[in-house]
């Protein structure tokens, strides 16, 4: 297993904004983040946070209204040879058979196609040779669309809810294949999901979006280590000096998720947060400043500050 | 040597620790012996769907404990052993004696387990914080 080092960051966003209607809301609103090459990044956030839009922008399928988005140091564009995209609606030709779809993948990616991997993901024994894509279930279409994305020898995989309509067996199998592919090639993966617990084992990086902006971005170990869940006698005043992300009463005391800064009190219980706790706490606290590792450089553009 | 890992995602124990513990347990039970070849990290990744770094971390930890050795292009081999099975241990009789007297003095099973864990913690301070956190 090898991890070929890639000096360019896989995906860098600086003040990305996007809206769909002239007077509509900004789906992405000054979104800034840096995803290094070689990571498996969980893209997480509530519905409407801008996850699918971000993946489409990175795939070059949509254009940003403001801000820049770069993959491997260069502009993103539709058909970028190093970037593959699994869109949420699994775009496939419904009249094609499974075999024809794979042939399409090979033809669209001449010189850049891993036929063996695509076939292994499809697992043709599951399908009859005359099955047309339109006859298949959602989960089966996802499997085939995933095969097309993996078959393209891309260095950046943008996967929009890849496990969403897969049954539990297929999830285990395909996630295993995806992780093995990462192990073999060091490819960067950005995958969105609503189910954080599923992502926790596969992902080593997190990008949390809410209302179109970045709330957290960085290695999961680093982000978790920067926070603590503390339980202590007394109220919030005892937490002065620490950034409190979320706090709640605990009998005569307080339980809070904080950004660690200095030593805890002697009478505090301290433990690291789970990934899910970290995400939920930040979604419940939009006023708390976002956190990124490495810290975001000052934007070249004016970035709208979140209201305090 | 075929060896499968069972990762319990809801156990609160980090996945890489579970891998380490399962190899240690197999060594204790004699299910793995010096010279046996462990599955490649890549094979474990595919079977468990864990992040490759997690599996590598576990194999590195086993290596640092002197239990396995990775030889490039050949694989990862068991090189160490772990203590005799508990039935053979010369310490068993002494521990059983202490436990029986503690029980006669009124200690419940959980009390005694907590006490022994405390003693172990003093004697073998853990390298990682001994915290059970709910896994996401």
């Amino acid at each position: 297993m090898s991890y070929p080092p890639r000096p360019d960051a896989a995906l860098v966003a600086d003040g990305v904004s996007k809206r769909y209607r002239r007077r509509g809301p900004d789906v992405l609103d000054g979104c800034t983040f840096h995803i290094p090459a070689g990571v498996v990044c969980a893209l997480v956030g509530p519905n409407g946070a801008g996850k699918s839009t971000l993946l489409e922008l990175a795939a070059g399928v949509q254009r940003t209204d403001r801000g820049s988005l770069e993959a491997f140091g260069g502009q993103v564009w539709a058909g970028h040879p190093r970037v593959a995209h699994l869109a949420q609606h699994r775009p496939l030709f419904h009249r094609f058979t499974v075999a024809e779809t794979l042939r399409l993948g090979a033809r669209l990616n001449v010189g850049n196609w891993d036929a063996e991997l695509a076939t292994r993901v499809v697992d043709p024994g599951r399908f009859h040779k005359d099955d047309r894509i339109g006859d298949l279930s959602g989960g089966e279409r996802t499997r085939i669309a995933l095969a097309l994305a993996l078959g393209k020898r891309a260095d950046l995989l943008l996967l929009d809810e890849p496990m969403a309509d897969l049954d539990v067996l297929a999830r285990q199998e395909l996630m295993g294949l995806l992780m093995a592919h990462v192990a073999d090639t060091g490819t960067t993966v950005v995958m969105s999901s609503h189910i954080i617990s599923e992502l926790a084992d596969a992902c080593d990086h997190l990008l949390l979006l809410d209302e179109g902006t970045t709330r957290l971005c960085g290695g999961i170990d680093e982000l978790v280590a920067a926070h603590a869940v503390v339980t202590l006698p007394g109220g919030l005043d005892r937490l002065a000096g620490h950034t409190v992300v979320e706090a709640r009463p605990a009998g005569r005391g307080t339980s809070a998720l904080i950004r660690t800064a200095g030593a805890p009190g002697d009478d505090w219980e301290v433990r690291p947060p789970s990934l899910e706790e970290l995400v939920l706490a930040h979604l419940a606290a939009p006023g708390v400043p976002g956190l990124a590792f490495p810290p975001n450089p000052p934007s070249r553009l004016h970035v709208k500050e979140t209201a305090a | 040597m075929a060896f499968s890992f069972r990762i319990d995602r809801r156990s609160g124990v980090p996945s890489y620790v579970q891998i380490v513990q399962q190899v240690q347990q197999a060594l204790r039970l004699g299910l793995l012996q010096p010279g046996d070849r462990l599955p490649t990290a890549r094979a474990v990744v595919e079977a468990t769907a864990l992040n490759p770094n997690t599996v590598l971390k576990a194999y590195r930890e086993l290596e640092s404990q002197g239990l396995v050795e990775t030889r490039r292009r050949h694989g990862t081999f068991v090189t160490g052993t772990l203590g005799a099975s508990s039935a053979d241990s010369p310490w068993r009789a002494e521990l059983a004696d202490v436990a029986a007297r503690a029980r006669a003095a009124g200690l419940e099973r959980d009390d005694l387990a907590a006490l022994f864990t405390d003693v172990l913690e003093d004697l073998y301070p853990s390298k990682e914080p001994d915290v059970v956190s709910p896994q996401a």
Side-chain angles (χ1 to χ4, degrees), chain A residues 1 3 40 120 172 175-177 179-180 182-184 196-197 200-204 271-272 274-277, chain B residues 7 9-10 15 41-42 45-57 129 131-136:
Chain A
M1 206 158 75
Y3 295 88
V40 180
R120 193 147 26 102
Q172 179 70 17
M175 193 63 105
L177 277 176
M179 290 296 103
V182 168
D184 289 335
I196 301 160
S197 50
D201 280 320
C203 298
D204 50 20
R271 66 164 174 80
S274 69
L275 182 61
E276 198 152 20
E277 283 179 310
Chain B
I7 305 298
R9 281 148 170 88
R10 300 207 65 85
S15 300
R42 187 209 183 276
V45 165
E46 185 166 347
T48 59
L50 291 173
N51 186 287
N53 289 322
T54 304
V55 177
L56 284 182
K57 190 173 177 184
V131 169
V132 176
S133 63
Q135 277 289 14

Side-chain angles (χ1 to χ4, degrees), chain A residues 35-52:
Chain A
I35 297 178
V39 302
V40 180
C41 182
L43 175 55
V44 170
N47 287 332
K51 305 189 295 292
S52 290

Side-chain angles (χ1 to χ4, degrees), chain A residues 94-101 124 126-136 140 144:
Chain A
H94 282 211
R95 294 194 51 77
F96 277 24
T97 63
V98 173
E100 285 166 348
T101 306
R126 296 169 177 271
F127 303 104
H128 188 271
K129 67 174 177 58
D130 293 332
D131 281 340
R132 294 184 188 276
I133 299 297
D135 299 331
L136 302 180
E140 289 170 322
I144 290 164

